[in-house]
Amino acid sequence: MLDVLGLEPDDERVYRALIGRPDSTATLLSDLLVMSQAQADKALSRLVGWGLVTRAADERFTAAPPAMALGALISQRRDGLRAAEHALVTFAEEHRAAMTGSSIVDLIEVVTGVDAIRHRYLQVQQAARTQIRTFITAPFVAVPPGENTAEAVAIGRGVHFRAVLDRAVLAEPGIVHDVIESLRNGVQLRVADQLPMKLMLADAELGLVPLATTPTGEHGAVLLHRSGLLDAMDALFETVWRTAHPLELSGTGGEAEPTVAFGAEGPTDLDRRILALLLAGVTDPTAATQLGLSPRTLHRRLRHLMDMAGVRTRMQLGGHAVRHGWI
């Protein structure tokens, strides 16, 4: 847990032991933690250097109060991260200025191979300071659903995510679960009838566009730096975003259960998910599969919703659902 502060596993083990056993010797600690004397001595030396442990004249060691010692260490790390962020801004500006006079070769980087594309995909998100915008289409090659580890990290540092899904993506196995997780994390999602390509944009600085597979079966992508081409990708995203259908799924606390009872005064969370998927253009069989329902159960719930809304057609149901905040 303390490795984020630069401590090694042995350091943390020794520090934890000293919290409960002050005035311990290195020999006692090595016996208690089943480690060699050299390991204990090395860990204690590092902890003393960090200011986390004090050494008495009789070679007994005591852990410094965690709130004071670790608090100071955390503050130092936080200050260091702020300095690194300021340096990042400076380096980015210097890089932007240098790229202004660069040749086209420097503005476009060709990436080949699934592993290299995955690496760049994560790097682009790590480089973002304010926002990430993406077009999501199937099939998933470099980064399958649920494996985008950089998204949560970027969201944690305040990066805003907007994504447009190709309607066909909603038929992919398990995608609804991933959509719910993203919505829970604050990602804004919309659905388009058809997207022209996969795309990821980091601020107005970087863009990653996958290429078609080569005849030899090799996957490729291009990494775009700030340029007229990147500006065109920016404009394309915003145009598609404005016309795409917002996707909102309520009840993000867990998987939908087919046995959930009908709401007495309004739609249940499962009903809202059904409505959201159908309004996004998902077919009945696909919606039923994604939500773990039988087609018969899906139709029964829709019939109940239509009765509740006092309408006769699905189009009328959709309008009623939007007007009354059912989705």
Side-chain angles (χ1 to χ4, degrees), residues 260-277:
V260 175
F262 289 116
E265 300 179 356
T268 65
D269 287 339
L270 178 56
D271 294 332
R272 295 175 188 272
R273 294 187 191 183
I274 292 173
L275 288 168
L277 289 176

Side-chain angles (χ1 to χ4, degrees), residues 26 28 47 49 52 61 81 85 87 124 158 174 231-232 244 270 286 288 302 309 313 324:
L28 176 61
L47 290 169
L52 297 177
F61 298 86
L81 287 173
E85 288 177 347
V124 168
D231 291 342
L270 178 56
T286 298
L302 283 172
T313 68
H324 292 79

